[in-house]
């Protein structure tokens, strides 16, 4: 018997899963997401993905103001049928209620970050940014591996309230220096030192 054939998952309801269903399903694989009522399972991470997330978590935690918190790989509820798991979240501090919390609400998110993997390209480049913008999350970063050294390249987006869509405000290759949503200064080449 292969590993694939030994996995037993519940059959979805005819109209798909809701957020309430999703958070009550037992024994889901780690990093499962709910997108438009469907369960999405992710492939194992590549080294770049893990290191890029670590680099950004460290950089954000060093610069985040006291009224915000940084979280990695936690679900954020966007609609009653969508709760993706961004690689990183910056949240309002009051949204963090305790160590047993399993999800956050879109209204509490200030920044979401997705590190693109080969299997998640379409979701991270197209599906999720549109859903994050529609939910009103003001800032979005997409992180891709690029260049001869495979350093992170960070595409920075800001929500345009007139269109409820993200507008690209910058592409950062070796250094990420921003003043919104707060002062951020991260050496992206430091991924070599993690």
């Amino acid at each position: 018997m292969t590993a694939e054939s030994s996995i037993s998952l519940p059959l979805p309801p005819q109209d798909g899963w809701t957020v309430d269903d999703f958070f009550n399903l037992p024994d889901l694989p780690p990093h499962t997401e709910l997108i438009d009522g469907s369960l999405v399972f992710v492939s194992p991470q590549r080294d770049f993905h893990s290191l890029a997330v670590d680099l950004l978590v460290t950089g954000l935690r060093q610069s985040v103001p006291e009224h915000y918190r940084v979280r990695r790989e936690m679900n954020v509820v966007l609609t009653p049928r969508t709760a993706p798991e961004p690689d990183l979240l910056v949240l309002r501090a009051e949204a963090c209620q305790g160590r047993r919390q399993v999800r956050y609400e879109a209204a509490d998110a200030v920044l979401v970050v997705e590190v693109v993997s080969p299997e998640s390209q379409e979701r991270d480049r197209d599906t999720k940014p549109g859903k994050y913008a529609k939910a009103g999350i003001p800032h979005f970063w997409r992180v891709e591996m690029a260049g001869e050294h495979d350093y992170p390249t960070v595409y920075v987006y800001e929500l345009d309230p007139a269109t409820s869509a993200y507008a690209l405000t910058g592409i950062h290759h070796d250094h990420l220096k921003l003043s919104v949503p707060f002062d951020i200064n991260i050496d992206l080449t430091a991924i070599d030192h993690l």
Side-chain angles (χ1 to χ4, degrees):
M1 182 183 291
T2 66
E4 292 82 24
S5 63
S6 67
I7 295 173
S8 176
L9 296 172
L11 291 174
Q14 184 174 353
D15 296 329
W17 301 105
T18 67
V19 167
D20 290 334
D21 297 331
F22 175 64
F23 287 106
N24 288 304
L25 287 171
D27 304 321
L28 287 176
H31 310 296
T32 301
E33 299 180 292
L34 180 69
I35 307 285
D36 295 328
S38 296
L39 299 177
V40 176
F41 307 105
V42 298
S43 298
Q45 289 184 7
R46 291 183 178 204
D47 188 60
F48 170 80
H49 189 282
S50 175
L51 291 175
V53 171
D54 286 346
L55 176 70
L56 294 172
V57 165
T58 300
L60 287 169
R61 286 190 174 151
Q62 290 173 348
S63 58
V64 70
E66 185 58 33
H67 57 280
Y68 292 141
R69 298 290 183 270
V70 178
R71 296 292 184 264
R72 66 181 292 160
E73 300 165 340
M74 295 288 294
N75 291 95
V76 59
V77 176
L78 305 180
T79 71
R81 296 167 47 84
T82 300
E85 183 188 277
D87 293 307
L88 290 167
L89 282 164
V90 175
L91 302 150
R92 291 174 181 78
E94 60 270 13
C96 300
Q97 300 294 312
R99 302 291 178 246
R100 296 180 185 185
Q101 193 165 353
V102 296
R103 66 186 187 190
Y104 297 99
E105 300 298 318
D108 294 315
V110 175
L111 166 68
V112 290
V113 180
E114 293 289 355
V115 178
V116 178
S117 298
E119 63 86 22
S120 70
Q121 286 180 358
E122 189 173 325
R123 285 190 312 276
D124 292 344
R125 292 176 180 167
D126 300 321
T127 306
K128 288 183 181 181
K131 292 183 179 304
Y132 293 144
K134 190 172 180 181
I137 299 173
H139 302 276
F140 171 70
W141 298 351
R142 189 183 82 241
V143 181
E144 307 246 4
M145 184 171 59
E148 71 176 271
H149 299 290
D150 292 338
Y151 290 148
T153 295
V154 181
Y155 296 80
V156 175
Y157 298 86
E158 193 168 328
L159 186 63
D160 179 344
T163 63
S164 296
Y166 288 122
L168 181 66
T169 61
I171 302 172
H172 303 265
H173 299 280
D174 294 328
H175 205 91
L176 178 62
K177 188 168 184 173
L178 303 170
S179 60
V180 290
F182 47 89
D183 288 335
I184 298 164
N185 191 351
I186 301 172
D187 177 2
L188 299 174
T189 67
I191 195 168
D192 282 340
H193 306 290
L194 295 176

